[in-house]
Structures are given as structure tokens and as C-alpha cells.
């Protein structure tokens, strides 16, 4: 069974790119448009991995990760966050919040897939 | 699986982001202390930069980065938000648009100039450049690795097994787990990680490859890497790696927790929340696809009316039942389709804020733009075509209409001029009004100008409305000086032409010293209308139902009496009427009982005498060919159920004709 991934990003184009890259790599993708939406989708189902942006309206990625780590149902689900070079401080914060790994924007689809493979181990 | 082109999606998105950024900047300009707007603009720039770089818009990303940095500093309170900064970023935003539209164009000089402005605005350049880490030298290496992950690593999603697999992939690998730290069962927390590992690795990869494996946990983990038997010409890399067991002490968790958290973007106001949610639930569809769908629905409506006609003439009850179902469904489909194409005028009005901001800047006037009825919805194709005329009208108001602050003060008016842009729906039309409180149109000057250019005869008897309509003549301008903005007499005739093409009407009212008001009445949609099918002689015609006020019989005595004068008295008011038979020169005998269809545009009415009223009819409007472009009486054509073509009457034109007739008769006494 292919792993299911939740991607959370407020940018439709980034969502599309991640979807294209990850679907082509054989993963099943669910999309959320911000942290709030992400939490709602997490309440509805299980995912093997979450890829999230940090800077988002309504609920940012950091808050979402903190919320997620409070949800017993998602214990140990890896979270990869997308960040830009200029977000160095925030990287530290995201990890403290419970993120597993990150990917620096701009990224190319291969590196995304590589990191997803790395974290999922499949 | 097929996906839409990400670049195209990015472009659409960038356009939206730029609009958001602009709106944020303009709001910020009104209230420089508005932290929410600073955050919103920053977020917009940040996203634009990030996505831009993703999709190969490197120039855009690099350029936007500077603006983002500037706003980051504002956000952090390092520099204040100033009008200069807002103006600089507004201009920069236009440049970003150019970078999105033509990423390969020659933008460097402009970009440099804008960045210089920006730097001046934030007072001092802000440069940020990070050196890329030096690469380690490659070579055949033998590493001894000892590592332990933070105890909560698994709860945070790190799985040690793939990490070990990765190490294995680097080369020849021997892994030993150290289980000594595993506590007794009653103390064991199933989510914690107690195992650490010792790994012996023989690889051609450099030391940094090992770091790469642990890249995500590097800061919190214990990682000791020792190089055994350093490679032949071991120089700096060996020295730095060998003796010092490179331990990256776990960042004390307390310290991290205690560090002041960057405040998460302050909860956006409820309004923004709702808006965000709304957009997120929308589906983006290219306009052409909607047009295509519209065409199909149009064909369906035509096919359906053929079906109804066939069914009506047949005795087959089952066929009739099916036909009725299809009729209902196609009607509903049509309505849904129309709603799909409706967009609020907000997006149209939105761009005028910028225009007015710039015009105020250029003319040195203080101008406030007010908008009303922004939620009024209009067909998408109509909105697009309204943009240009409105730009002309708003420019005109700013330039000709509004006085300079000095003049206004002298006239006892507040210094700031006001322009009100409003939209409302009225029956099948949307009325868009541009109203200013400026000097108003000088009737004498308009008349003098029209006489001197031979548009009207000297001393011609004109109503105010007719006089004002003269300003829409090509080449007509009463401005004494030609400015950068307007006054060349170009524009108003274009406005008129565009509105005519939309089958709309323009109404002008003006009071000297108080201001003027220009109303555009535009049909809500251009594609499908409900029409009243009538017969005149042998031909059938469609009158847009939204314009029809009532139908009545033409009394015989009225018919006889009114041979010379075409008025019908309708509940104590005289309504002029037009005999379509005469207008179309049918050459057939009139029906004994002729009917009058009273149509109106707003306050003005006219009766149309027809032979027979057939009934209502859903009409798919087909455009007229170029050849018939000048035929003002008709606005289009449609195909009837039996395949015949019926022409659609142009209500605005007919009403105008009726009014003209009335005016002439009145003038004749």
C-alpha cells in the first residue's frame, strides 16, 4: 500500500507541484490550504507523513505542528516543513515544536521525493 | 494522471498575491500603524518570493526578496512604515508584475532604480548574503560513528531505521545497537527512544554524507564521528575531523522553550478569515472553459426549444413529459451557468484605489475614493469589458471634475475631493455610477465647443441630457489644457463605444459647482436572456423580458386617432409608441387587434406596437456579423425552435428613439 501524505500549503502552485511530484512517486496525497484545514483533515483521517508550509493564514505551520503533537492518534507521524533560507530561526522553532525534517524552498521535485523517501523509509 | 500547468497556476496565483499586496499597501497607507497589514504584505511578498523561485522566476524572487526584507524589518519594528516605503513598494509591486509577465524581459535597470528607491525609503541598504558551506574533500574513508537520537525523536516522527538504511547505502557498514539505556519495563515509555548505535563505515563518501543522513536531527542528537586510518594525504579535513569527536551538544530544550517564540501571525480579523476560507473552497477555472460551457448550454437551450416545439405538436404524452423535464432541467442548468459566471464588482473596483492613489499623486489633489455595492455581481465578460471605460471616467473625474485644494477651499468645500464608485442591480441591469463632488460640467462651454466644431447647429434646442451626451463625441474635449491624464478628447468616445457594444446606456447629470454623476446601465449578462417573442408582419422578434413593463391591446380608437401622433395614454401618462410594422416596413396587413409592449430603461418608457405576442422564450444571443454591426435597432439574433432566426430588439436604442420622437413632437407643439 502506498503511503498517504498530507500536504499543507496556502499556495496553490506549491500544492500542485508537491502533488505532482509525490503522486508521480506513487504516494497518495491529501491537500490542506492552511493549518486549520490541516488539523481538520488530521482529525478525519490518518496519514503516514505531513508536508507543511510554515507561513500561512488562519493557522501557521508551527502552531499546526504543536497541535498535531498533542493528538495521540498521530503519535510519531513525521512532519516535513517547507522553509526558505531566511527562516533560519524558525527552523529551530519548528523542530522544537515537533517537526521531523525540513526542505528549503525553492526545492525541486526530486529533492522533495528524496526527503519523503528518507523520512518514510519507503 | 494529468495536471494543469504549474507555471500557469503560479501566474494566476501571483496575480492574486500582487493584488493582495497592493490592497494591503494601500490600506497601510491610510493607517501606517496597522500591524495586520504589515504582516499581510510581508506574507504576500514572502509567498511570492518562495513560489517565484520554485517556478524558475529567479529575477522575481531575487527582486521580491529585497521588498520582503524591508517589510520584515518593519514587522520586527526595526524601521517604521512610512509613506515613502509604501510608495516604493507599490512601484516595486508593478515591477514584480512585469517580472511575472515577462520573466525574460530586460528589467535590470528598472529593478535597480526601484531598489535604490526602496533602500532610500528604509534608510540604508540591507544586504543579506550567506556563504555556502565549503564542501568537504572526497576520498576513501573509514569512519567510526556513535550516535544517539533525542529521546523524543520517534514521537516527533523520526524513525531511526531509515537512517540506518541510509548509512548502509553509503558503503560497507557494520551496525551495533547499544541497548544499555533501555530501562526496566515498568519505567519504559513506549514512545521514547533508548537505543543508541555504533557504526563502522567504509565509504568513498565524505564526512558530510554522514551529516546529511542525520541532517534533520543534527542539532539535538549526539553524533561522534571518528576517522580511522586517515587517507593518504590527510590534510585539513582529517585534522578537523579526527581528534575532535565532533559532538554537537543537544540544544538544551529548556533554552529553546524559554526563547521568546516569534509571535505566530496575530490572529487575522474575522473578516479576513472568512475571505480566506471562501477563496480556499473555490475552484479556479479558466474563463475560456466557462465560455465553452456557456456555448454548450446555449446549444442545449436551442435544441430544447426545438424539442418543446415538436412535443407540443405531437399527441404523444410520454414525449411531452420528457420534453417538459428537459425544459425544466435546461432552464435550471442555464440559471446555474449564469451564476457561475457572475463575479462581484469588488475586483473591478479594487483596481481604482490604486489608480486614484496615483492620480492624486500626479495632480497634487487630495482625493478620497468611496465605493458602494461592491458585492453586486455581474457577468465575468461584462466586468472585463467595463474596466477600460471606468478607468476613463474615473480619470476624467480626477482630472477635469475635481478642483485643486486651493480652488476647493475658495469654493467653501472640503479640501479633499470625493469620488464615489457605486454599483447596484436593477432588474436585468447593473447600474454603475461614478460621482464626484467637483466643479461639474460647464454647459456653456460644451455648447460653444460643439457649435464651433459643427456638431450642433448654433442655438439648437437641446435638452441637458442631449448636451451632456455630446462629450462622448470623438475628439470632443472642453479641457483648456491638455494634461498627461486626459483632455486630448480621446477616451470618452471609447467609453461610449464600449458601453454601446455592451448594449448599455450612459446617463449624465451634472450641477455646476457641485459635481457630476455618470451612470452606466449595463445588462447583467451577454449570453442568455429571457425574451418575449413577438410577431411583426411575417417576422418574429425577441424583446428582452427584463425590459418589458407590461403588454396591452392597442385600442382601435387610439390606433385611428393616433395616426399622426404616436402616443398612448397609460394611466394618466402619455407614453410614446413606435409602430414596428412601419419601422420594419413589413408591407403586410396589420392584425386587427394590435398589441403594445411597453418597455423601459429605468425611468423612460416607450411602447412597441406588434401584431402578436407569442410568449416568453429563452434566448441564446448570437452576435451580429460585422456587416450588420451598424444596425442599431437590433442587438443580436437568436435561433428559434423551428430553426428560424429571430432578431433581438435593442431596448436602449428603441427607447431613445421613442424619447426623441416625443421631444420633437413636444417641440413642434
Amino acid at each position: 500500500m502506498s503511503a498517504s501524505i498530507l500536504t499543507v500549503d496556502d499556495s496553490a502552485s506549491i500544492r500542485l507541484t508537491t502533488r505532482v511530484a509525490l503522486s508521480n512517486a506513487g504516494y497518495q496525497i491529501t491537500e490542506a490550504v492552511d493549518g486549520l484545514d490541516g488539523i481538520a483533515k488530521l482529525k478525519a483521517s490518518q496519514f503516514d507523513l505531513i508536508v507543511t508550509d510554515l507561513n500561512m493564514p488562519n493557522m501557521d505551520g508551527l502552531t499546526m505542528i504543536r497541535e498535531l503533537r498533542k493528538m495521540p492518534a498521530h503519535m510519531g507521524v513525521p512532519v516535513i516543513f517547507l522553509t526558505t533560507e531566511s527562516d533560519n530561526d524558525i527552523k529551530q522553532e519548528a523542530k522544537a515544536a515537533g517537526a521531523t525534517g525540513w526542505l528549503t524552498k525553492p526545492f525541486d521535485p526530486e529533492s522533495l521525493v528524496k526527503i519523503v523517501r528518507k523520512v518514510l523509509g519507503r | 494522471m494529468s495536471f494543469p500547468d504549474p507555471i500557469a497556476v503560479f501566474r494566476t496565483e501571483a496575480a492574486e498575491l500582487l493584488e493582495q499586496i497592493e490592497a494591503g499597501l494601500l490600506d497601510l497607507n491610510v493607517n501606517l500603524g496597522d500591524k495586520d497589514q504589515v504582516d499581510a504584505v510581508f506574507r504576500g511578498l514572502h509567498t511570492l518570493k518562495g513560489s517565484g523561485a520554485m517556478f524558475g522566476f529567479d529575477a522575481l524572487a531575487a527582486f521580491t526578496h529585497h521588498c520582503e526584507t524591508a517589510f520584515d524589518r518593519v514587522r520586527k519594528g526595526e524601521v517604521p512604515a512610512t509613506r515613502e516605503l509604501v510608495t516604493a513598494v507599490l512601484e516595486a509591486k508593478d515591477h514584480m508584475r512585469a517580472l511575472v509577465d515577462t520573466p525574460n524581459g530586460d528589467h535590470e535597470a528598472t529593478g535597480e532604480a526601484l531598489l535604490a528607491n526602496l533602500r532610500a525609503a528604509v534608510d540604508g541598504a540591507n544586504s543579506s548574503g550567506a556563504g555556502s558551506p565549503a564542501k568537504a574533500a572526497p576520498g576513501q574513508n573509514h569512519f567510526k560513528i556513535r550516535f544517539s537520537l533525542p529521546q523524543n525523536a520517534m514521537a516527533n516522527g523520526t524513525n531511526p531505521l531509515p537512517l540506518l538504511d541510509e548509512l548502509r547505502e553509503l558503503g560497507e557498514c557494520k551496525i551495533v545497537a547499544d541497548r544499555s539505556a533501555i530501562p526496566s519495563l515498568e519505567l519504559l515509555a513506549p514512545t521514547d527512544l533508548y537505543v543508541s548505535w555504533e557504526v563502522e563505515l567504509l565509504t568513498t563518501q565524505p564526512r558530510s554524507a554522514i551529516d546529511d543522513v542525520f541532517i534533520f536531527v543534527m542539532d539535538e542528537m549526539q553524533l561522534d564521528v571518528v576517522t580511522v586510518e586517515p587517507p593518504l594525504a590527510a590534510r585539513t579535513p582529517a585534522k578537523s575531523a579526527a581528534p575532535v569527536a565532533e559532538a554537537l551538544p543537544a540544544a538544551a530544550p529548556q533554552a529553546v522553550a524559554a526563547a521568546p517564540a516569534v509571535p505566530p501571525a496575530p490572529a487575522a480579523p474575522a473578516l479576513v478569515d472568512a475571505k480566506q476560507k471562501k477563496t480556499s473552497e473555490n475552484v479556479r477555472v479558466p474563463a475560456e472553459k466557462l465560455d465553452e460551457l456557456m456555448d454548450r448550454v446555449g446549444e442545449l437551450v436551442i435544441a430544447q426549444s426545438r424539442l418543446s416545439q415538436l412535443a407540443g405538436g405531437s399527441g404523444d404524452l410520454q414525449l411531452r413529459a420528457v420534453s417538459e423535464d428537459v425544459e425544466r432541467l435546461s432552464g435550471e442548468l442555464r440559471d446555474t451557468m449564469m451564476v457561475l459566471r457572475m463575479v462581484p464588482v469588488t475586483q473591478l473596483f479594487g483596481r481604482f484605489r490604486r489608480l486614484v492613489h496615483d492620480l492624486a499623486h500626479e495632480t497634487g489633489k487630495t482625493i478620497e475614493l468611496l465605493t458602494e455595492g461592491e458585492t453586486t455581481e455581474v457577468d465575468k465578460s461584462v466586468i472585463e469589458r467595463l474596466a477600460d471605460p471606468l478607468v476613463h471616467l474615473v480619470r476624467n473625474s480626477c482630472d477635469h471634475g475635481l478642483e485643486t485644494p486651493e480652488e476647493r477651499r475658495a469654493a467653501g468645500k472640503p479640501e479633499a475631493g470625493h469620488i464615489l464608485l457605486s454599483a447596484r442591480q436593477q432588474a436585468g441591469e447593473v447600474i454603475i455610477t461614478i460621482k464626484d463632488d467637483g466643479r461639474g460640467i460647464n454647459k456653456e462651454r460644451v455648447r460653444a465647443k460643439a457649435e464651433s466644431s459643427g456638431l450642433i447647429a448654433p442655438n439648437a434646442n437641446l435638452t441637458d441630457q442631449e448636451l451632456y451626451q455630446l462629450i462622448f463625441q470623438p475628439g470632443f474635449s472642453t479641457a483648456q489644457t491638455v494634461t498627461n491624464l486626459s483632455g486630448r478628447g480621446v477616451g470618452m468616445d471609447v467609453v461610449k463605444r464600449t458601453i454601446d457594444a455592451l448594449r448599455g446606456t450612459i446617463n449624465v447629470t451634472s450641477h455646476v459647482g457641485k459635481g457630476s454623476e455618470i451612470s452606466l446601465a449595463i445588462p447583467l449578462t451577454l449570453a442568455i436572456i429571457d425574451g418575449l417573442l413577438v410577431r411583426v408582419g411575417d417576422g418574429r422578434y425577441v424583446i428582452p423580458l427584463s425590459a418589458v413593463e407590461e403588454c396591452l391591446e392597442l385600442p382601435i380608437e387610439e390606433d385611428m386617432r393616433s395616426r399622426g401622433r404616436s402616443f398612448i395614454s397609460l394611466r394618466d401618462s402619455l407614453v410614446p409608441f413606435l409602430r414596428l410594422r412601419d419601422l420594419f416596413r413589413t408591407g403586410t396587413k396589420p392584425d386587427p387587434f394590435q398589441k403594445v409592449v411597453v418597455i423601459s430603461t429605468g425611468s423612460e418608457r416607450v411602447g412597441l406596437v406588434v401584431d402578436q405576442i407569442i410568449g416568453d422564450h429563452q434566448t441564446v444571443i448570437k452576435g451580429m456579423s460585422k456587416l450588420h454591426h451598424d444596425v442599431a435597432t437590433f442587438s443580436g439574433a437568436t435561433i428559434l425552435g423551428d430553426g428560424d432566426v429571430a432578431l433581438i430588439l435593442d431596448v436602449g436604442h428603441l427607447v431613445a428613439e421613442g424619447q426623441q420622437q416625443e421631444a420633437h413632437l413636444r417641440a413642434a407643439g
Side-chain angles (χ1 to χ4, degrees), chain A residues 11-13 58 69 100 102 118, chain B residues 13 55 156 166 213 216 273:
Chain A
S11 152
S13 54
N58 300 325
R69 289 295 176 226
T100 315
W102 71 89
K118 174 184 172 73
Chain B
E13 187 174 281
F55 297 100
N156 280 352
E166 266 187 80
V213 171
F216 290 148
D273 264 8

Side-chain angles (χ1 to χ4, degrees), chain B residues 105-116:
Chain B
D106 183 19
H107 299 297
E108 212 156 304
T110 333
E112 284 302 318
L114 288 170
L115 288 181

Side-chain angles (χ1 to χ4, degrees), chain B residues 277-597:
Chain B
K277 231 166 249 152
K278 213 171 148 203
T279 47
S280 65
E281 280 163 20
N282 286 349
V283 177
R284 245 182 281 252
V285 178
E288 313 90 78
K289 289 200 176 163
L290 274 188
D291 289 343
E292 249 171 60
L293 185 56
M294 187 80 227
D295 270 359
R296 299 283 177 281
V297 173
E299 302 295 324
L300 179 69
V301 167
I302 290 172
Q304 176 271 317
S305 62
R306 284 179 58 193
L307 178 64
S308 311
Q309 197 154 14
L310 281 176
S314 131
D316 188 338
L317 286 180
Q318 275 183 315
L319 176 63
R320 283 192 184 193
V322 172
S323 160
E324 269 165 33
D325 274 352
V326 174
E327 185 170 346
R328 179 177 53 80
L329 288 171
S330 79
E332 285 168 6
L333 186 59
R334 181 203 69 154
D335 290 346
T336 315
M337 184 66 226
M338 298 317 314
V339 174
L340 278 188
R341 292 172 54 96
M342 295 300 240
V343 284
V345 292
T346 324
Q347 52 163 263
L348 181 60
F349 283 5
R351 42 184 120 164
F352 290 106
R353 297 176 62 199
R354 175 68 187 280
L355 180 71
V356 169
H357 173 267
D358 288 357
L359 287 175
H361 206 68
E362 263 177 71
T363 54
K365 297 174 184 175
T366 320
I367 310 175
E368 276 174 30
L369 177 74
L370 306 167
T371 52
E372 238 175 50
E374 289 187 304
T375 50
T376 311
E377 294 195 325
V378 188
D379 189 283
K380 191 166 171 42
S381 60
V382 175
I383 285 237
E384 275 158 19
R385 286 155 77 177
L386 271 178
D388 278 351
L390 280 182
V391 168
H392 281 300
L393 293 174
V394 169
R395 273 176 173 272
N396 246 349
S397 278
C398 292
D399 199 28
H400 295 317
L402 295 177
E403 312 90 332
T404 60
E406 299 78 54
E407 284 176 82
R408 291 185 67 89
R409 224 175 310 136
K413 294 192 202 178
E415 242 173 69
H418 291 85
I419 294 181
L420 173 70
L421 206 54
S422 71
R424 71 196 151 86
Q425 202 182 327
Q426 181 181 301
E429 288 183 321
V430 59
I431 317 281
I432 296 189
T433 309
I434 301 102
K435 185 176 176 180
D436 65 57
D437 63 350
R439 48 172 82 95
I441 298 173
N442 186 331
K443 279 191 270 184
E444 279 65 47
R445 210 190 289 162
V446 171
R447 178 180 282 275
K449 172 85 186 183
E451 283 176 9
S452 72
S453 56
L455 280 172
I456 55 169
N459 303 320
N461 194 3
L462 292 178
T463 62
D464 282 359
Q465 191 54 233
E466 283 169 315
L467 199 63
Y468 292 140
Q469 292 290 336
L470 290 173
I471 61 174
F472 296 106
Q473 292 295 326
F476 196 95
S477 173
T478 56
Q480 279 153 331
T481 51
V482 170
T483 70
N484 213 359
L485 305 176
S486 53
R488 291 193 192 83
V490 183
M492 287 306 245
D493 58 320
V494 179
V495 171
K496 173 89 175 137
R497 253 207 321 274
T498 316
I499 300 303
D500 279 351
L502 285 168
R503 297 200 310 280
T505 50
I506 307 179
N507 194 36
V508 185
T509 50
S510 177
H511 299 283
V512 172
K514 289 198 177 136
S516 35
E517 180 176 336
I518 298 182
S519 297
L520 312 176
I522 316 286
L524 276 181
T525 178
L526 299 172
I528 296 190
I529 56 165
D530 268 321
L532 188 68
L533 192 62
V534 299
R535 185 175 58 79
V536 180
D538 294 332
R540 279 175 292 177
Y541 302 88
V542 175
I543 304 171
L545 203 55
S546 55
V548 174
E549 280 209 339
E550 58 189 299
C551 302
L552 44 126
E553 207 157 293
L554 183 65
I556 297 183
E557 64 273 25
E558 196 79 47
D559 190 20
M560 302 309 289
R561 190 147 46 91
S562 62
R563 282 278 163 228
R565 2 185 338 209
S566 306
F567 281 97
I568 185 169
S569 88
L570 191 66
R571 287 187 296 277
D572 299 336
S573 70
L574 283 180
V575 175
F577 66 76
L578 300 168
R579 292 168 190 281
L580 294 185
R581 310 177 41 77
D582 298 350
L583 204 60
F584 303 156
R585 304 208 178 93
T586 55
T588 54
K589 273 197 142 186
D591 278 27
F593 299 102
Q594 295 193 64
K595 311 290 184 296
V596 183
V597 179

Side-chain angles (χ1 to χ4, degrees), chain A residues 9-17 19-20 23-24 33-34 36 53 55-58 60 62-63 66 69 74-80 84-87 89-90 92-93 95-103 105-109 115 117-121, chain B residues 1 3-7 9-10 13 42-43 46-47 49-51 53-55 65 68 75-76 153-159 162-163 165-166 191 212-220 251 256-257 260-265 268 272-274 276-277 280 284:
Chain A
D9 203 303
D10 57 330
S11 152
S13 54
I14 303 264
R15 281 202 307 273
L16 178 64
T17 314
R19 171 180 277 268
V20 172
S23 315
N24 287 342
V33 297
D34 56 33
L36 221 50
D53 191 18
N55 228 316
M56 288 182 291
N58 300 325
D60 62 27
L62 277 178
T63 316
R66 285 193 196 105
R69 289 295 176 226
H74 300 285
M75 173 73 74
V77 174
V79 178
I80 295 174
T84 61
E85 282 300 351
S86 45
D87 287 338
D89 299 349
I90 227 166
Q92 219 38 60
E93 225 181 312
K95 286 168 75 171
T100 315
W102 71 89
L103 180 59
K105 285 196 277 194
F107 58 84
D108 53 282
I115 283 181
R117 287 236 163 85
K118 174 184 172 73
V119 171
L120 278 175
Chain B
M1 245 186 284
F3 297 99
D5 176 16
I7 303 259
V9 176
F10 167 72
E13 187 174 281
F42 171 78
R43 220 168 32 226
H46 185 83
T47 307
K49 178 182 87 169
S51 314
M54 285 278 316
F55 297 100
H65 171 74
E68 184 205 355
R75 201 169 67 134
K76 290 181 177 145
M154 292 204 319
N156 280 352
T158 303
N159 186 345
L163 297 179
D165 285 344
E166 266 187 80
T191 55
D212 282 348
V213 171
F214 296 106
I215 184 155
F216 290 148
V217 270
M218 197 64 128
D219 301 354
E220 295 99 11
V256 173
V262 169
V272 175
D273 264 8
Q276 284 291 354
K277 231 166 249 152
S280 65
R284 245 182 281 252

